[in-house]
Amino acid sequence: MSFHVMLIPTLGCPGECNYCWSSEEKSPVMSIDTIKEVVEWLKNFKDDSVTFTFHGGEPLLAGADFYREALPMLAEGAKPKKVAFAIQTNLWKMTDEIAKIFAEYEIPIGSSLDGPKELNDFQRGEGYFEKTMRGYEIAKEHGLSVRFITTFTSHSEKFREEIFNFYLENGWTLKFHPALPSLRGNEPEKWALDPEEYGRLLIYLLDKYLENIDSIEVMNIDHLCKGVFSGRGAVCTFVDCMGDVLAIGPDGGIYPCYRFVGMPEYVMGNVRDNPGIEELSKSDAWKLMFDYKDYVDENCKDCSHIKYCRGGCPYNAITPTGGEIKDVDPHCISYKMILDEITERVNNEMFGGPSMEMDFFQNPMKPSKPGIMALMFKK
C-alpha cells in the first residue's frame, strides 16, 4: 500500500534485549477510543489505500480484546479504501485467542530472532528464544505467516555463517538490520555494528545468497538489487518517506515514524484534533524531515546511488546529533559498499566479464554461476 500508518499500542515490552531502546512493560497502552479517533482522522486525511502495522514496544501487550475491537473498526472505518494489516511482535504474548483474531484478517507477522538459541539469548536475554518459538508454533497452528528479522551486532556479526545457516536450515526468509547505539545503559556503542563491518557483512550475505539462490530468500539483498534496477528505493530506509509513512503513539500523537514515538520533540499533532497534511506540515518535526531531504539533495547530488538510497534513514542521521542535520545516515558507508558491488557485478553480467559465456543464439548473457540478474528474475 502507498500509505502506511504504524500504530504503536504501547512502548512497553517484557523483553530486555541488550541493545534495545524500549521502555518497561508497564508503559501506557492505547485505548479503543484512540483507534476510533484514528478512523475519524483518516476519513478526510488521504484517499490512498492504507496498511496498518502494529508495532511497539510489544504490541501484543494490548491484549485480545483490543484487537477484537480495533481490527474491524479500522477495516470498516477506512472503507472504501483498501486496508491491509501487519504486526511486529516478539510473540511472547501470542495465544490461541489472539491467533484466531489475526487469522480472520490474514495478518502477516514479523518477529525477531538473532540466530540460534545460544547466540540469540546472549543478545536478547535468557529464555527469549523459547518464548518466541512457543508463540511461533501457536501462530503457525492457526495458519499465520511468520517471518523473523535478525539484528546483527558487533558481537553476532562474527557468527555470520552460523546465522545464515540457521535460516537456511529452517527454510526461513532472512531479513536483518544492524544494531544502532542503544538508548539503554551507559555503553551505547557496545552492541552497535560498525558501518564498514556492516558493508562487508552485506557483501558476504550477497555471496551466500547467490550460492544458495534456490534455497533461501534474503529480503535485504533483494530490496537493494531492485533499487539499483528500478532507480528507486524498495523499502522506507531508501525513499523520501515523509507523508507516506506516519506513526501513531499510545496517546494518539502523530510522528514521522515509529522510531520517533515517545520523543516529544517529534510530535506533529494528535489524531483527536483531526489534523490535515497542511496542519502537520507546520510542525517542527515535519519541517525537519523535509530539511533532511534538501540536505541529501545537496550533499549527495554527486553520488551515483542517490535516487535509490536517498541518504538512508533520517532517524539514523538525526537522533545521534540531538535533532541537528549534520550528515546523512551513518550507514552511508555500508550502503555505498554494497550498492557499488551490485552495480559492478550487474555491469559485468550485462556487458561482459570473466564470468560470462557469450552465446548469442541460445542465451546471450549466460553467467557461469548465479549472479545479480538471477536474483532479479527469481520467482
Side-chain angles (χ1 to χ4, degrees), residues 53-69:
T53 296
F54 295 94
H55 213 295
E58 174 44 59
L60 292 189
L61 287 173
D65 288 343
F66 173 83
Y67 289 102
R68 187 179 289 108
E69 290 189 67

Side-chain angles (χ1 to χ4, degrees), residues 63-83:
D65 288 343
F66 173 83
Y67 289 102
R68 187 179 289 108
E69 290 189 67
L71 293 172
M73 194 176 292
L74 291 164
E76 294 299 318
K79 286 183 177 180
K81 303 169 188 173
K82 290 182 179 179
V83 173

Side-chain angles (χ1 to χ4, degrees), residues 136-205:
Y136 170 75
E137 293 300 332
I138 294 172
K140 296 299 288 183
E141 286 171 7
H142 290 272
L144 294 167
S145 170
V146 182
R147 288 185 170 184
F148 296 102
I149 188 167
T150 285
T151 301
F152 277 99
T153 69
S154 57
H155 172 76
S156 67
E157 64 85 15
K158 301 179 181 66
F159 302 93
R160 56 186 67 178
E161 184 172 4
E162 288 91 332
I163 294 170
F164 182 87
N165 289 338
F166 171 75
Y167 277 87
L168 182 66
E169 291 161 8
N170 279 287
W172 292 338
T173 296
L174 175 58
K175 185 180 179 183
F176 56 90
H177 57 204
L180 298 168
S182 177
L183 300 181
R184 172 181 289 169
N186 54 11
E187 295 181 88
E189 300 288 342
K190 179 179 179 180
W191 297 92
L193 187 56
D194 176 78
E196 288 194 19
E197 196 58 61
Y198 182 44
R200 288 189 286 270
L201 172 66
L202 286 166
I203 294 170
Y204 168 82
L205 291 172

Side-chain angles (χ1 to χ4, degrees), residues 13-20 22-25 90 92 121-126 128 184:
C13 182
E16 294 185 354
C17 300
N18 286 307
Y19 48 77
C20 191
S22 188
S23 57
E24 301 303 320
E25 188 171 356
N90 64 23
W92 293 12
D121 286 5
F122 179 76
Q123 296 195 159
R124 288 185 172 267
E126 190 66 31
Y128 186 108
R184 172 181 289 169

